[in-house]
């Protein structure tokens, strides 16, 4: 661990306390001057409304006011705040102007997952203190340093502008567009908590006496490895209590679909993607952070990685998973009519070939959670989109009945499908069981991006034909999807794409096929649409192209071929 990291965790002898004001209150913090302000606020002062998204000044989730101007608290060392004034989201309710801002956010539903909301409110309050009647462009500029992955920004910007118009907070909820129920705008039940910093996300309520886990991950996309004697490491690092390896995991395999459990919690002698978990350091927070990767007795024997669909499907391709000699995870198919005869009869035809890239969800909240044993049951608090699936798979991994595991979902700071897979749950559950102590795990941003699921990269070839009247006659799609090293939601993608491949169009003859190929990439999983957006690129391009060839208006062509109620019965 480097010097800055040591200071960040407050491991160095503390100098005299640093005095400053937080939300109008004088405080004194005895800690290293290089400690990040965001860690001081969250870990020393309990002000967890300020969030950590990237710890690198990129996402703005940790934005606070320093002497009235917005700054990223992850980039400000404690030493620089001596004698100055800090305002966090928890302090916004003190002033009428910022209360108006919170009320406007609530009216507009501007806090969706809410993880960016504290930063947005702080940035907006900075602007409104300097410009009482800002233009939209000024609002966009002021909020430009805070990223939101949920809202598309419109509601947030509208809320800031509305706060100016409605200073004093007299406005109620906007008028319902259609009746009192369907279409009406209703306040979010958890809106206030997200606007005041009281909402608790995965990293916000870790017990003070928790042990911490740090996962050591593979630098290689494909390698065999051996772990040597770990006792010297434990001897060198007081506070490092244990190192977990595959041998510690009772049933070392999980998946989304129980019949396809192919992913280990900790790799067992072979890693299959860069960032795969190899072992986990368990101990006091500073102790696990202090261990340098170079100290670990892990010896890798790199293998030729299978990168991309072409490599996975090559006749001499190396096998990513034993037992799947052709690297095919699964295939899906949807057919109607006889394609060949319709192709021959079509008047016009179009053909496309697409390649799409893997995409990271980049939710602002990295994976986080903690576990403890409550009345003999493993209780896991974690950011998740699917607590019951988490419960069943975690119980399986721990060799327990589902009733012996309880998942308590924290607020979820964005997921978009990425938090439909397990992340911290099995390891915190395992460690809590082994130690009988609360155990926490919070991913860092690079770790989150390296190890969690992605949108499937794909290669799609599709063709469609229509008659002279502009009626679709046939549609065919052949989709290859890079599903990465393990199954995750690959079967859903392979199964769903063929069904949705022709889009919302009535086509008498269809042949749509999809295959999910195993490679040495991070597992590809759920991401808003399960492969359907990739297929939409193909069918919408084909519709445009056919309309152009037939000299028809593109909308008219679509209308003529749109599915109607009853077509699918
Ligand atoms: Fe902005 Fe979710 S509401 S990231």
């Amino acid at each position: 661990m480097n010097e800055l990291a040591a200071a960040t965790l407050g491991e160095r002898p503390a100098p005299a306390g640093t005095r400053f004001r937080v939300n109008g209150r004088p405080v004194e913090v005895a800690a290293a001057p290089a400690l990040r302000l965001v860690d001081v606020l969250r870990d020393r002062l309990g002000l967890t409304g300020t969030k950590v998204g990237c710890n690198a000044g990129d996402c703005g989730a940790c934005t606070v006011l320093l002497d009235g101007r917005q700054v990223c608290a992850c980039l400000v060392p404690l030493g620089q705040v001596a004698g100055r004034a800090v305002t966090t989201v928890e302090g916004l309710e003190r002033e009428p102007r910022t209360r108006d801002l919170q009320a406007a956010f609530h009216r507009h539903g501007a806090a969706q997952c809410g993880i960016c909301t504290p930063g947005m409110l702080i940035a907006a309050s900075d602007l409104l203190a300097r410009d009482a009647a800002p233009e939209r462009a000024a609002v966009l500029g002021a909020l430009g340093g805070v990223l939101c992955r949920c809202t598309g920004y419109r509601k947030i910007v509208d809320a800031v502008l509305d706060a100016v118009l409605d200073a004093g907070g007299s406005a109620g909820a906007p008028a319902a567009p259609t009746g009192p129920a369907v279409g009406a705008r209703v306040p979010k039940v958890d809106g206030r908590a997200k606007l005041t910093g009281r909402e608790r996300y995965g990293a916000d309520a870790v017990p003070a006496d928790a042990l911490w886990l740090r996962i050591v991950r593979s630098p290689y996309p494909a390698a065999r490895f051996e772990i040597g004697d770990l006792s010297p490491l434990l001897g060198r690092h007081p506070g490092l209590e244990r190192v977990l390896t595959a041998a510690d995991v009772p049933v070392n395999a999980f998946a989304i679909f129980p019949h396809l459990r192919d992913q280990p919690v900790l790799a067992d002698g072979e890693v299959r993607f860069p960032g795969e978990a190899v072992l986990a350091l368990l101990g006091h927070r500073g102790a696990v952070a202090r261990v340098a990767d170079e100290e670990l007795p892990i010896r890798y024997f790199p293998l030729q990685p299978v990168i991309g669909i072409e490599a996975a499907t090559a006749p001499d391709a190396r096998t990513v998973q034993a037992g799947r000699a052709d690297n095919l995870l699964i295939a899906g198919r949807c057919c109607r009519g006889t394609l060949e005869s319709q192709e021959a009869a079509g008047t016009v035809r179009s053909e496309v070939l697409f390649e799409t890239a893997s995409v990271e969800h980049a939710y602002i909240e990295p994976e986080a959670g903690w576990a403890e044993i409550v009345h003999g049951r493993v209780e896991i608090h974690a950011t998740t989109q699917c607590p019951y699936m988490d419960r069943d798979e975690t119980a399986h991994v721990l060799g327990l009945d589902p009733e012996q595991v309880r998942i308590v979902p924290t607020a979820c700071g964005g997921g978009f499908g990425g938090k439909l897979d397990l992340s911290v749950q099995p390891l915190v559950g395992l460690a809590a069981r082994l130690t009988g102590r609360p155990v926490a795990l919070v991913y860092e941003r690079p770790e989150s991006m390296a190890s969690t699921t992605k949108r499937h990269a794909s290669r799609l070839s599709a063709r469609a034909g229509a008659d002279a009247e502009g009626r679709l006659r046939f549609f065919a799609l052949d989709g290859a999807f890079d599903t990465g090293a393990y199954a995750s939601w690959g079967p859903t993608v392979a199964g769903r794409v063929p069904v949705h491949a022709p889009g919302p169009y009535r086509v008498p003859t269809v042949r749509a096929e999809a295959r999910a190929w195993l490679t040495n990439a991070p597992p590809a999983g759920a991401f808003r649409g399960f492969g359907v957006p990739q297929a939409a690129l193909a069918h919408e391009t084909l519709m445009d192209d056919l309309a152009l060839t037939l000299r028809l208006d593109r909308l008219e062509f679509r209308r003529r071929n749109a599915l109607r109620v009853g077509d699918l019965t």
Side-chain angles (χ1 to χ4, degrees):
M1 188 182 61
N2 63 33
E3 285 290 289
L4 181 61
T8 300
L9 294 165
E11 293 298 316
R12 283 208 208 119
T18 301
R19 295 181 186 184
F20 56 108
R21 297 182 78 79
V22 178
N23 300 330
R25 186 170 58 93
V27 296
E28 180 171 355
V29 177
L35 188 63
R36 296 172 196 253
L37 176 58
V38 69
D39 294 327
V40 172
L41 294 171
R42 290 178 56 83
D43 301 337
R44 302 297 180 98
L45 302 176
L47 297 169
T48 55
T50 301
K51 305 302 179 190
V52 177
C54 67
N55 238 3
D58 291 324
C59 75
C62 65
T63 301
V64 297
L65 296 179
L66 183 58
D67 289 340
R69 301 306 296 260
Q70 59 169 303
V71 295
C72 284
C74 70
L75 297 183
V76 177
L78 174 64
Q80 284 185 7
V81 302
R84 304 174 74 182
V86 175
T87 304
T88 70
V89 67
E90 290 90 346
L92 293 184
E93 281 182 301
R94 292 181 309 141
E95 287 189 32
R97 180 174 45 78
T98 44
R99 277 203 304 271
D100 291 344
L101 195 56
Q102 289 170 309
F105 268 58
H106 199 39
R107 281 199 300 281
H108 284 266
Q112 207 162 309
C113 83
I115 195 81
C116 72
T117 307
M120 289 290 182
L121 287 166
I122 291 285
S125 73
D126 176 10
L127 171 70
L128 296 183
R130 289 177 287 111
D131 182 353
E135 299 287 329
R136 181 170 283 268
V139 176
L140 288 171
L143 303 186
V146 187
L147 301 182
C148 177
R149 287 286 286 147
C150 301
T151 63
Y153 300 97
R154 185 176 288 269
K155 288 178 177 178
I156 295 171
V157 175
D158 288 348
V160 177
L161 292 168
D162 190 33
V164 174
L165 294 175
D166 185 43
S170 57
T178 52
V182 176
R185 204 183 268 268
V186 292
K188 283 169 72 88
V189 289
D190 52 354
R192 293 298 309 173
K194 293 180 195 304
L195 295 163
T196 55
R198 285 196 284 273
E199 186 72 286
R200 292 286 175 262
Y201 294 82
D204 290 344
V206 174
D209 61 341
L211 295 172
W212 283 73
L213 280 164
R214 185 185 129 210
I215 299 177
V216 175
R217 298 182 177 278
S218 166
Y220 296 98
R224 299 216 167 81
F225 69 89
E226 292 170 358
I227 299 175
D229 183 6
L230 290 162
S231 43
L233 186 77
L234 290 161
R236 271 200 307 278
H237 290 280
L240 176 62
E241 301 213 344
R242 200 165 168 158
V243 180
L244 304 179
T245 68
D248 294 300
V249 187
V251 184
N252 196 14
F254 68 93
I256 298 298
F257 299 93
H259 68 289
L260 285 173
R261 286 184 175 123
D262 61 352
Q263 183 164 0
V265 175
L266 292 169
D268 191 1
E270 181 173 344
V271 287
R272 297 183 177 86
F273 69 92
E276 180 160 8
V278 173
L279 51 78
L281 307 172
L282 173 62
H284 296 279
R285 194 175 186 183
V288 297
R290 252 194 310 273
V291 177
D293 282 2
E294 307 79 61
E295 290 184 74
L296 298 163
I298 308 172
R299 210 165 147 219
Y300 291 99
F301 306 93
L303 300 166
Q304 181 66 36
V306 177
I307 305 293
I309 295 163
E310 202 170 322
T313 54
D316 58 347
R318 197 178 60 76
T319 302
V320 174
Q321 283 192 23
R324 296 197 186 275
D326 55 4
N327 286 327
L328 180 65
L329 173 70
I330 199 163
R333 193 161 195 261
C334 189
C335 295
R336 183 186 189 195
T338 309
L339 183 68
E340 286 71 18
S341 60
Q342 290 299 320
E343 281 206 270
T347 306
V348 292
R349 54 176 285 143
S350 178
E351 198 157 347
V352 291
L353 180 63
F354 271 102
E355 286 194 8
T356 66
S358 168
V359 183
E360 156 69 19
H361 303 77
Y363 25 78
I364 303 295
E365 182 204 26
E367 293 70 11
W370 56 278
E372 63 182 344
I373 307 300
V374 179
H375 303 308
R377 184 166 64 169
V378 183
E379 198 163 289
I380 299 170
H381 301 248
T383 178
T384 177
Q385 291 180 261
C386 50
Y388 282 98
M389 289 170 69
D390 291 357
R391 181 197 65 169
D392 292 355
E393 281 308 286
T394 302
H396 171 80
V397 160
L398 299 181
L400 300 174
D401 292 331
E403 292 71 31
Q404 293 173 280
V405 175
R406 180 180 181 219
I407 303 286
V408 184
T410 63
C412 181
F416 321 123
K419 289 177 183 167
L420 289 171
D421 280 72
L422 289 177
S423 59
V424 303
Q425 297 87 336
L427 277 175
V428 292
L430 173 64
R433 231 168 110 71
L434 290 173
T435 61
R437 303 256 314 262
V439 178
L441 174 56
V442 177
Y443 283 10
E444 295 184 347
R445 173 61 54 184
E447 179 178 25
S448 170
M449 295 185 80
S451 65
T452 60
T453 60
K454 312 285 170 239
R455 183 185 287 289
H456 283 73
S458 69
R459 194 180 61 201
L460 303 161
S461 119
R463 56 191 192 279
D467 60 23
E469 281 73 50
R471 310 228 176 257
L472 285 169
R473 300 308 311 163
F474 72 89
F475 178 93
L477 177 136
D478 189 356
F481 291 83
D482 182 342
T483 208
Y486 299 108
S488 180
W489 290 90
T492 306
V493 169
R496 193 171 290 191
V497 166
V499 175
H500 291 266
Y505 304 109
R506 203 168 62 250
V507 195
T509 305
V510 174
R511 184 184 297 163
E513 295 173 302
R515 290 173 189 79
W517 297 100
L518 293 161
T519 67
N520 288 122
F527 192 155
R528 288 183 168 174
F530 294 94
V532 176
Q534 291 95 310
L537 287 174
H539 65 237
E540 291 305 314
T541 304
L542 288 172
M543 296 307 122
D544 281 350
D545 202 38
L546 289 170
L548 197 68
T549 308
L550 288 160
R551 297 176 185 278
L552 284 171
D553 176 78
R554 288 184 298 179
L555 276 180
E556 170 53 27
F557 182 76
R558 284 175 167 79
R559 234 176 258 128
R560 212 172 277 190
N561 290 290
L563 275 172
R564 297 195 175 87
V565 175
D567 281 347
L568 298 179
T569 58

